[in-house]
Amino acid sequence: MDDKGLFLDRVSIALNGRILVAVTHRVLPGEVLTVMGPSGSGKSTLLAFIGGFLDPAFAASGRVLINGFDFTARPAEDRHAGILFQDPLLFAHMSVGGNLAFGIPASVKGKAARSALVDAALEGVGLAGMAARDPATLSGGQKARAALARALLSSPRLLLLDEPFSKLDAELRSQMRELVFAKARTSGLPVVLVTHDEADARAAGGPIVHVGATE
């Protein structure tokens, strides 16, 4: 259907009267929209608006439609956006499996069912058998994979990526790009990627929006 995916309808975000971002764009299921621009240009601010957690200091207009439904006035928890940041943000007091289980919707009942989902998700990102591990024992690449698995387990409607590859070395960066974009295509999730890196944009393979200017 034509309304599937994410539609940014005349979205405009301003701070102190200065427009940072003005965009209208549809992101199809499995497609990656890359947003590029210098620091302070409003890239992450756009993600916050889409995800429903924009700082009230910003003035925003326009609509966020997900699969044809208007979520502009809905809280973040209703939007079900999977979000990956520069840092994996794994909970230090939980095991790797506990971190993933945290993302599973409450509607999934039963320890066995939830554990099975965790095990399958870990296998899907190359971390089979690591559910009992302490996150502190994981490498940077493994932490990034665990964060991706947790995001996918939350049954997201879309993925928001805020430079999630920037702290990985070149080889890991390439591997994670391939993994994240492949998972998005398989799951039919529209993706918005914020990055400074032209290689990220090329790997994403979708449309590119340039925003802002230097402050």
Side-chain angles (χ1 to χ4, degrees):
M1 292 176 61
D2 290 342
D3 59 359
K4 289 295 184 183
L6 170 69
F7 182 44
L8 305 178
D9 180 22
R10 294 167 292 178
V11 170
S12 179
I13 305 173
L15 180 64
N16 298 325
R18 181 170 70 94
I19 295 177
L20 299 175
V21 177
V23 60
T24 293
H25 205 94
R26 184 178 299 280
V27 189
L28 299 174
E31 184 179 55
V32 182
L33 171 65
T34 300
V35 181
M36 303 191 74
S39 296
S41 61
K43 301 185 304 298
S44 295
T45 305
L46 176 60
L47 290 190
F49 178 69
I50 297 169
F53 50 92
L54 182 66
D55 189 307
F58 293 90
S61 62
R63 299 189 302 160
V64 175
L65 286 84
I66 305 171
N67 296 329
F69 295 94
D70 190 344
F71 281 83
T72 312
R74 302 282 289 276
E77 58 267 26
D78 287 352
R79 303 189 188 200
H80 297 288
I83 306 172
L84 295 177
F85 296 99
Q86 290 184 25
D87 295 305
L89 301 180
L90 299 176
F91 300 119
H93 66 288
M94 294 181 178
S95 66
V96 172
N99 268 274
L100 268 65
F102 183 84
I104 299 174
S107 59
V108 179
K109 306 294 185 183
K111 184 176 180 180
R114 296 174 72 86
S115 293
L117 285 176
V118 167
D119 290 343
L122 286 172
E123 184 173 357
V125 295
L127 299 179
M130 294 191 182
R133 291 271 293 271
D134 183 327
T137 68
L138 300 183
S139 67
Q142 289 172 332
K143 289 177 180 177
R145 287 169 178 265
L148 171 62
R150 181 176 63 184
L152 293 173
L153 271 178
S154 68
S155 297
R157 293 188 175 101
L158 68 159
L159 285 180
L160 303 178
L161 309 180
D162 196 350
E163 304 200 53
F165 317 121
S166 62
K167 292 190 175 181
L168 301 173
D169 64 38
E171 182 177 357
L172 280 176
R173 191 173 181 131
S174 177
Q175 292 174 2
M176 278 304 297
R177 284 190 198 112
E178 184 176 337
L179 178 62
V180 171
F181 300 148
K183 289 290 185 183
R185 286 193 298 271
T186 301
S187 303
L189 296 174
V191 181
V192 182
L193 166 69
V194 157
T195 184
H196 287 94
D197 191 334
E198 295 281 356
D200 285 351
R202 288 195 298 272
I208 301 172
V209 169
H210 294 272
V211 299
T214 54
E215 295 177 321

